[in-house]
Amino acid sequence: MTRTAFFISDGTGITAESLGRSLLAQFENVEIRMLTKPYIDSVDKARRLVSIIEATAVKDGTTPIIIDTIVDQDVRNVIREAPGFQVDIFSTFLEPLEQELATHSSYSVGRTHSIGSDDVYMDRIHSVHFALDNDDGARTHQYDQADIILVGVSRCGKTPTSLYLALQFGVRAANYPLTEDDQDDNGNLKLPEVLARHRHKLFGLTIDPRRLAAIRHERRPNSRYSSMDQCVQEVEQAQALYRRMHIPFIDTTRFSVEEISTRMIAETGIHRRFSPR
Amino acid sequence: MTRTAFFISDGTGITAESLGRSLLAQFENVEIRMLTKPYIDSVDKARRLVSIIEATAVKDGTTPIIIDTIVDQDVRNVIREAPGFQVDIFSTFLEPLEQELATHSSYSVGRTHSIGSDDVYMDRIHSVHFALDNDDGARTHQYDQADIILVGVSRCGKTPTSLYLALQFGVRAANYPLTEDDQDDNGNLKLPEVLARHRHKLFGLTIDPRRLAAIRHERRPNSRYSSMDQCVQEVEQAQALYRRMHIPFIDTTRFSVEEISTRMIAETGIHRRFSPR
């Protein structure tokens, strides 16, 4: 039997969905269809949604799970009429918080994901363009402005991580690909001069060679570039370099971009210019 | 009096921080310093954190607020000893959910932000590279594979939005700049042929000309490009084009990238290849 969970918000729905998925992920053996309903910011929209929830209850043959972060009292009252197991995050925690803080909350909608100050907006745009301009070693003369420089072999996850750091935390992340072109006389990978100068900013990525081969295969099937031999060799060389030069590094194989990024920040103590929104 | 809030997690801390900020944003008149403490995944780490919380309580002269999404019972028990107003999200909601779902939860750590399936990982990488390859009109021959094509004047927010759509939802978003080069005989902006062919995929961005001028000024100070006259004219022309061609559009001035992206998805019904993580 499949159950349906509704994540309902008067804003983006990001908080409701994030919390809802965290909670429901704890129930592996229950099949749950998850639907996010953002921008339910009027009594009318709430009524229409209640009809949908009612129809879903009939179709599923069981009550849906309703997880919401709606702030407006009137809208929330309508949702409360829907048939379902209701997880009302705001009323559960706001009232005790009001007592603790000895003040009334302002009950404003979607404050967290709204645009915030001009500074945050500018910082964000600036960081994203910094990541793009300094992607894949394209430029190196701005490295003195970088907060962090990611290094690693081609397709180990440098670009998505740089962009995530920029978008979510305002971190200025450059990235530089390690390739066979940078070798010393013994055939070992060496740090190019431009990276050696900024060694304290470097953070390495590594990856399981099998996964790397699979990813590269999507891009250039049956090439030397995507062969297991090539991937094993490149990854081994990169890891040897990290160890020799005492560059902190992380294995991206088992981690999502969120985990790689938050672990880097935790490990290096890089300053976040703003918070995840 | 400033109070301190700790957002504590055994994973990335994204859920705890997202919810914590949503809750505390309701208390505008209280000054709250917010600290995120991710990867508190052992009793030892929890004990060290409790010492920090104790010291903070003394320094602040008041008890901190503690908002956590720790799943492990032993780790959570240690945190419970810290002096503070505790918002224990998981135990508040998990037990009632267990009853409702008539099953025990698996109490596993950080399931939501972990890497998930290979498919999700590949989709994400593919979407990010799609956004990069198709940024700023760089390429147009892949538009048949695009889920959405953002159009708008230079620096109105196309690139950050495309990247956010890719990273968070796996949406393949291309973007194309509207410039004076594309005018009809009457001096009106017109859709270049390559866009006209994909008109049903277009989504317009617009922006307050004053804000646009400020953003452009950061890039090229005191240029024609960043002048108010130029910004006013470009924005007016773009909006006229959207109306004439019935292209849905959104004003990015008051909205964050999260809001722009989630509103676009809500309005167009684009399929999300995966969920925000």
Side-chain angles (χ1 to χ4, degrees):
Chain A
M1 186 176 68
T2 302
R3 298 187 69 138
T4 305
F6 290 90
F7 307 134
I8 308 172
S9 167
D10 35 16
T12 63
I14 293 173
T15 302
E17 178 163 343
S18 160
L19 178 67
R21 286 186 181 271
S22 291
L23 286 170
L24 297 178
Q26 307 307 320
F27 300 91
E28 307 183 272
N29 49 348
V30 185
E31 206 172 312
I32 303 173
R33 190 168 62 114
M34 305 186 200
L35 297 175
T36 303
K37 299 291 178 183
Y39 303 110
I40 305 300
D41 50 11
S42 71
V43 166
D44 270 4
K45 286 188 192 168
R47 289 220 178 95
R48 282 198 294 275
L49 181 53
V50 169
S51 304
I52 293 172
I53 296 172
E54 285 167 349
T56 306
V58 172
K59 212 182 88 217
D60 289 356
T62 180
T63 48
I65 295 153
I66 297 171
I67 298 182
D68 83 86
T69 55
I70 291 173
V71 180
D72 185 88
Q73 295 278 11
D74 294 337
V75 178
R76 201 159 56 189
N77 287 341
V78 176
I79 298 295
R80 287 298 85 83
E81 293 163 16
F85 176 78
Q86 306 231 3
V87 175
D88 179 344
I89 296 164
F90 271 36
S91 63
T92 305
F93 293 126
L94 273 189
E95 209 178 297
L97 263 174
E98 284 182 343
Q99 284 180 9
E100 172 67 19
L101 297 171
T103 180
H104 283 286
S105 68
S106 53
Y107 283 95
S108 63
V109 175
R111 201 175 283 279
T112 29
H113 294 98
S114 65
I115 198 159
S117 72
D118 268 23
D119 287 356
V120 168
Y121 187 81
M122 294 288 190
D123 257 340
R124 193 171 205 176
I125 291 213
H126 192 287
S127 303
V128 166
H129 284 282
F130 186 90
L132 292 176
D133 291 343
N134 294 279
D135 185 42
D136 209 29
R139 267 191 222 177
T140 56
H141 67 272
Q142 294 184 333
Y143 282 5
D144 51 331
Q145 292 164 49
D147 297 319
I148 191 168
I149 303 167
L150 310 186
V151 295
V153 304
S154 169
R155 292 279 153 150
C156 67
K158 298 184 299 298
T159 298
T161 306
S162 306
L163 291 169
Y164 191 86
L165 284 167
L167 272 169
Q168 296 296 80
F169 300 110
V171 167
R172 285 178 199 150
N175 76 78
Y176 191 99
L178 298 176
T179 71
E180 294 167 316
D181 300 342
D182 297 308
Q183 286 190 348
D184 64 18
D185 297 340
N186 301 320
N188 290 324
L189 209 55
K190 69 168 185 187
L191 278 187
E193 175 51 27
V194 64
L195 291 184
R197 238 180 302 144
H198 297 281
R199 215 183 68 186
H200 60 289
K201 290 186 182 178
L202 302 184
F203 207 109
L205 299 184
T206 190
I207 187 171
D208 183 309
R210 277 162 300 190
R211 184 169 193 103
L212 182 63
I215 295 169
R216 288 184 171 184
H217 187 77
E218 295 264 306
R219 194 177 174 198
R220 289 192 221 144
N222 305 314
S223 60
R224 173 164 171 270
Y225 172 77
S226 65
S227 70
M228 262 308 281
D229 277 1
Q230 179 69 15
C231 291
V232 167
Q233 200 196 319
E234 284 188 37
V235 168
E236 276 178 2
Q237 288 244 10
Q239 291 190 6
L241 175 73
Y242 302 152
R243 293 206 183 87
R244 206 163 61 242
M245 305 299 283
H246 305 290
I247 297 167
F249 67 99
I250 192 169
D251 185 339
T252 64
T253 315
R254 292 176 307 111
F255 292 135
S256 68
V257 174
E258 286 80 356
E259 286 176 302
I260 301 166
S261 303
T262 52
R263 281 174 189 273
M264 278 180 184
I265 289 175
E267 212 168 300
T268 58
I270 302 173
H271 173 63
R272 309 183 338 184
R273 283 201 182 70
F274 50 79
S275 311
R277 333 195 87 231
Chain B
M1 186 173 72
T2 302
R3 298 186 67 139
T4 306
F6 289 90
F7 307 135
I8 308 173
S9 166
D10 35 16
T12 62
I14 292 172
T15 303
E17 179 164 343
S18 160
L19 177 67
R21 287 187 180 270
S22 291
L23 286 170
L24 297 178
Q26 306 306 321
F27 300 91
E28 306 182 273
N29 49 349
V30 186
E31 207 172 312
I32 304 173
R33 191 168 60 116
M34 306 188 197
L35 298 174
T36 305
K37 300 290 180 183
Y39 303 110
I40 306 299
D41 51 10
S42 72
V43 165
D44 270 4
K45 286 188 192 169
R47 288 221 177 94
R48 282 198 294 275
L49 181 54
V50 169
S51 304
I52 293 172
I53 296 173
E54 285 167 349
T56 306
V58 173
K59 211 181 90 221
D60 288 356
T62 181
T63 47
I65 296 153
I66 297 171
I67 297 181
D68 83 86
T69 55
I70 291 173
V71 180
D72 185 89
Q73 293 279 11
D74 294 337
V75 178
R76 201 160 56 190
N77 287 341
V78 176
I79 297 295
R80 287 296 86 84
E81 294 163 15
F85 176 79
Q86 305 230 3
V87 175
D88 179 344
I89 297 165
F90 271 36
S91 62
T92 305
F93 293 127
L94 274 188
E95 209 178 297
L97 264 174
E98 284 182 343
Q99 284 179 9
E100 172 68 19
L101 298 172
T103 178
H104 282 287
S105 68
S106 52
Y107 283 92
S108 63
V109 176
R111 200 176 284 278
T112 29
H113 293 99
S114 64
I115 198 158
S117 73
D118 268 22
D119 287 354
V120 168
Y121 186 80
M122 294 289 192
D123 256 339
R124 194 170 203 175
I125 292 214
H126 191 286
S127 303
V128 167
H129 285 281
F130 186 89
L132 291 176
D133 291 345
N134 294 280
D135 185 42
D136 209 29
R139 267 191 222 177
T140 57
H141 68 271
Q142 294 184 332
Y143 282 4
D144 51 330
Q145 293 165 49
D147 297 318
I148 191 168
I149 303 168
L150 310 187
V151 294
V153 303
S154 168
R155 291 281 153 151
C156 67
K158 298 185 299 297
T159 299
T161 306
S162 306
L163 291 169
Y164 191 87
L165 284 167
L167 271 168
Q168 297 295 82
F169 301 109
V171 167
R172 283 173 204 154
N175 76 79
Y176 190 98
L178 298 177
T179 72
E180 295 166 315
D181 300 343
D182 296 309
Q183 286 190 347
D184 65 19
D185 297 339
N186 301 320
N188 291 323
L189 210 55
K190 68 168 185 188
L191 277 188
E193 176 51 29
V194 64
L195 292 184
R197 236 179 304 142
H198 297 281
R199 217 183 67 184
H200 61 288
K201 290 185 182 178
L202 302 185
F203 208 106
L205 300 184
T206 189
I207 185 171
D208 183 308
R210 277 162 300 191
R211 185 170 193 103
L212 182 63
I215 295 168
R216 288 184 172 185
H217 187 78
E218 294 264 307
R219 193 177 176 200
R220 288 193 222 145
N222 305 313
S223 61
R224 173 164 173 271
Y225 173 76
S226 65
S227 70
M228 263 306 282
D229 276 1
Q230 179 69 17
C231 291
V232 167
Q233 200 196 320
E234 285 188 38
V235 168
E236 276 178 2
Q237 289 244 8
Q239 291 188 6
L241 175 74
Y242 302 152
R243 294 206 181 89
R244 208 164 58 241
M245 304 298 284
H246 306 289
I247 297 167
F249 68 99
I250 192 168
D251 185 340
T252 65
T253 315
R254 293 174 307 110
F255 292 137
S256 67
V257 174
E258 285 81 355
E259 285 175 303
I260 301 167
S261 304
T262 51
R263 281 174 189 274
M264 278 180 184
I265 289 175
E267 211 167 302
T268 58
I270 303 172
H271 173 63
R272 308 183 340 183
R273 284 201 182 67
F274 50 78
S275 311
R277 332 195 85 233

